[in-house]
Amino acid sequence: MSDARMRLLDVTIDVLSSAKLLKEISSVMEDAHKRALWIVTANPEIVLAAHADASYRSILARATYRVADGTGIVFAGLLQGKKISRITGGFLLEALFALAVERGDSVHIILHANGLARESDVRQCLIERYPALRVFVSSLSPTDPPATVVGDIVINTFGAPAQETWIALYKERFTDTRCFVGVGGALDVFCGVVARPPKALSAVGLEWLWRLVIQPKRWRRILRAVFLFPMTALFHKNHS
């Protein structure tokens, strides 16, 4: 567990570096006696949803780590005097795939049955980028139980809150899995199904502007993350 944490809209965010997180993942992957990791990539949308829903907030509290995936979380940390490293779903995908190849571990990717990425897209992407990777790909509805419980690493792409709810419900069935993570739409970008934002926008935390341009139907979600979240975080007093 991380040494430092902060409370944000009654949600606990773990304050740790990407290097420390990767070291912890490697340690757990190497030692089957350690408890499996569950990593939540907490962005403003996830924190807002948990703030409004006590049951979802309780699910997030069960995760091993809730890392800051979003510039808004980083800025909110600064207001509390905490310097938080941003750890994105895309970063975790690259790190986990590389680690799996290095160790010979298997990865099970669970896609949303109605999502943008298809099984063929994901398999082709990973064959090209990580030809030695042992990968399983499933397409499920968020209400479906797992069809198979394989994978040293399990990556769910349902998006929040479905991915965290699904992991909480079914993770105990994956008896050999060492790491669980929900990455939402990060896999769509990773595999080129959704265009990657220009580096200049990413560098200043404006990926949301890029998503608004290429996916204008997301405007409500973007509005909540970019405007509602900071206003709510600014005036909210966390409960103990």
Side-chain angles (χ1 to χ4, degrees), residues 20 27 58 62 85 87 106 112 115 135 162 164-165 170 173 194 217 222 239:
K20 184 173 181 178
S27 175
S58 177
R62 294 166 56 186
S85 297
I87 302 175
S106 61
H112 195 303
V135 62
E164 288 78 33
T165 302
Y170 296 115
R173 296 193 187 185
V194 172
K217 290 183 179 180
I222 293 170
H239 298 101

Side-chain angles (χ1 to χ4, degrees), residues 89-215:
F91 168 82
L92 281 175
L93 285 174
E94 292 193 19
L96 290 172
F97 291 149
L99 180 62
V101 170
E102 177 185 335
R103 289 179 39 82
D105 291 329
S106 61
V107 177
H108 186 175
I109 298 174
I110 300 171
L111 303 176
H112 195 303
N114 296 319
L116 296 177
R118 300 300 182 206
E119 291 185 28
S120 57
D121 299 326
V122 174
R123 288 196 180 96
Q124 184 61 35
C125 166
L126 294 178
I127 287 172
E128 292 176 357
R129 298 183 65 169
Y130 302 94
L133 180 66
R134 296 167 54 213
V135 62
F136 304 90
V137 185
S138 300
S139 294
L140 299 173
S141 163
T143 57
D144 291 338
T148 179
V149 289
V150 298
D152 298 301
I153 297 168
V154 170
I155 297 171
N156 188 295
T157 70
F158 289 166
Q163 61 194 14
E164 288 78 33
T165 302
W166 192 93
I167 291 172
L169 187 59
Y170 296 115
K171 67 187 294 291
E172 299 306 324
R173 296 193 187 185
F174 292 80
T175 55
D176 295 326
T177 298
R178 309 301 302 137
C179 182
F180 298 85
V181 61
V183 298
L187 187 71
D188 295 333
V189 177
F190 185 87
C191 289
V193 178
V194 172
R196 190 180 296 272
K199 291 182 178 180
L201 290 181
S202 296
V204 293
L206 292 178
E207 294 98 328
W208 63 268
L209 181 59
W210 176 252
R211 295 301 288 269
L212 180 61
V213 170
I214 65 173
Q215 292 180 298

Side-chain angles (χ1 to χ4, degrees), residues 30-129:
E30 292 172 2
D31 188 348
H33 294 96
K34 290 187 175 181
R35 187 176 181 181
L37 291 176
W38 173 11
I39 303 166
V40 172
T41 51
N43 58 24
E45 191 173 6
I46 285 177
V47 173
L48 276 176
H51 174 60
D53 183 345
S55 62
Y56 183 44
R57 191 162 64 246
S58 177
I59 287 173
L60 296 190
R62 294 166 56 186
T64 315
Y65 295 115
R66 293 143 300 270
V67 298
D69 180 3
T71 306
I73 307 293
V74 174
F75 285 158
L78 291 176
L79 292 177
Q80 294 189 27
K82 297 183 182 295
K83 186 176 181 180
I84 306 176
S85 297
R86 187 179 177 201
I87 302 175
T88 66
F91 168 82
L92 281 175
L93 285 174
E94 292 193 19
L96 290 172
F97 291 149
L99 180 62
V101 170
E102 177 185 335
R103 289 179 39 82
D105 291 329
S106 61
V107 177
H108 186 175
I109 298 174
I110 300 171
L111 303 176
H112 195 303
N114 296 319
L116 296 177
R118 300 300 182 206
E119 291 185 28
S120 57
D121 299 326
V122 174
R123 288 196 180 96
Q124 184 61 35
C125 166
L126 294 178
I127 287 172
E128 292 176 357
R129 298 183 65 169

Side-chain angles (χ1 to χ4, degrees), residues 7 10 12 57 236-240:
R7 295 281 284 173
D10 297 318
T12 298
R57 191 162 64 246
H236 176 75
K237 183 177 181 180
N238 288 292
H239 298 101
S240 59

